[in-house]
């Protein structure tokens, strides 16, 4: 929320619904695209439907968890620069 109590672009409920719809549409398109792309499995376990979407999701979760861990390590006190 901005300081003038006017909702920002991402605070509007209509915008949030639109972004969720776009996210689900992108996830659905990635699954549908696998029917047409027919990627060649290299390791055997990567040949099932939705592997690429699931692998991408797992990588993003790993990145978020790594970022949180890094933030925990690098976090400073609020008065760090005042000392």
């Amino acid at each position: 929320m901005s300081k003038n109590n006017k909702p920002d672009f991402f605070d509007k409920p209509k915008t949030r619904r639109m972004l969720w719809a776009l996210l689900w549409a992108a996830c659905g398109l990635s699954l549908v695209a696998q029917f047409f792309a027919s990627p060649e499995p290299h390791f055997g376990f990567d040949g099932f439907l939705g592997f690429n979407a699931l692998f991408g999701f797992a990588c993003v979760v790993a990145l978020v968890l790594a970022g949180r861990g890094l933030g925990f390590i690098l976090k400073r006190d609020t008065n760090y620069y005042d000392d």
Side-chain angles (χ1 to χ4, degrees):
M1 189 77 65
S2 65
K3 292 179 181 179
N4 57 4
N5 291 333
K6 192 174 182 180
D8 291 331
F9 179 75
F10 290 107
D11 289 334
K12 295 178 182 176
K14 184 179 178 181
T15 304
R16 289 183 177 187
R17 282 193 301 270
M18 179 187 68
L19 290 173
W20 276 108
L22 286 173
L23 174 68
W24 284 110
C27 290
L29 284 175
S30 69
L31 285 176
V32 170
Q34 195 167 6
F35 286 114
F36 300 107
S38 67
E40 294 290 327
H42 295 286
F43 303 107
F45 61 88
D46 56 348
F48 67 89
L49 179 67
F51 172 79
N52 294 327
L54 189 62
F55 184 71
F57 177 74
C59 288
V60 168
V61 168
L63 282 173
V64 168
L65 291 177
R68 291 190 77 173
L70 191 61
F72 181 75
I73 292 171
L74 298 175
K75 187 168 61 174
R76 301 280 184 225
D77 292 336
T78 56
N79 297 329
Y80 177 74
Y81 293 107
D82 292 338
D83 292 340

